[in-house]
Amino acid sequence: MRSPRRCSRNGCPRQAVATLTYVYNESTAVVGPLAAFAEPHTYDLCEPHARSLTAPRGWDVVRHEGEFEPPPPTTDDLVALAEAVREAARPAPRPPEPDQHHSENPHQTGRRGHLRVIPPNH
């Protein structure tokens, strides 16, 4: 299952709820709601990091005034969750029944699919 986007700050395990974008030609850092897609030149932030962000001296910070909310689950998330539930509900495969030919001589070399059984050295 796909995991939710995490905060870009090193060592932060929290879920991202905001996106930071730098507008270099205007010396501005913009912190807004989480973008729909992760972009290469933006940073996902959790709420504490989005609220406490400071910009370099001489830069302005434009910050979203409302609440930062986690994104709703996407269709992909719901499909992945349904597949995980289906997989967990499947009965476990039965172990293969012992092959009587091999049970008589456990040190015999045999072949099974693309694998080959090699007896241990004595």
Side-chain angles (χ1 to χ4, degrees):
M1 181 178 359
R2 191 180 65 155
S3 62
R5 287 163 41 193
R6 298 284 174 204
C7 183
S8 297
R9 297 291 300 257
N10 285 336
C12 183
R14 294 185 200 97
Q15 182 178 6
V17 295
T19 297
L20 165 64
T21 306
Y22 289 108
V23 183
Y24 292 99
N25 61 349
E26 296 180 17
S27 299
T28 304
V30 179
V31 180
L34 187 64
F37 300 101
E39 297 289 333
H41 299 291
T42 62
Y43 303 90
D44 293 338
L45 299 174
C46 64
E47 187 164 3
H49 285 125
R51 298 257 181 239
S52 66
L53 177 89
T54 58
R57 186 175 300 149
W59 282 58
D60 294 319
V61 176
V62 175
R63 197 180 320 265
H64 173 69
E65 291 297 323
E67 292 295 315
F68 290 113
E69 296 180 19
T74 65
T75 303
D76 292 343
D77 293 336
L78 296 175
V79 169
L81 179 60
E83 288 174 1
V85 169
R86 276 189 219 109
E87 180 69 28
R90 284 189 187 126
R94 293 187 347 197
E97 297 194 18
D99 187 357
Q100 290 186 3
H101 183 263
H102 289 286
S103 63
E104 294 171 8
N105 185 357
H107 300 293
Q108 179 179 358
T109 302
R111 188 160 180 86
R112 193 170 235 190
H114 67 283
L115 302 175
R116 188 171 59 154
V117 178
I118 300 175
N121 293 333
H122 289 84

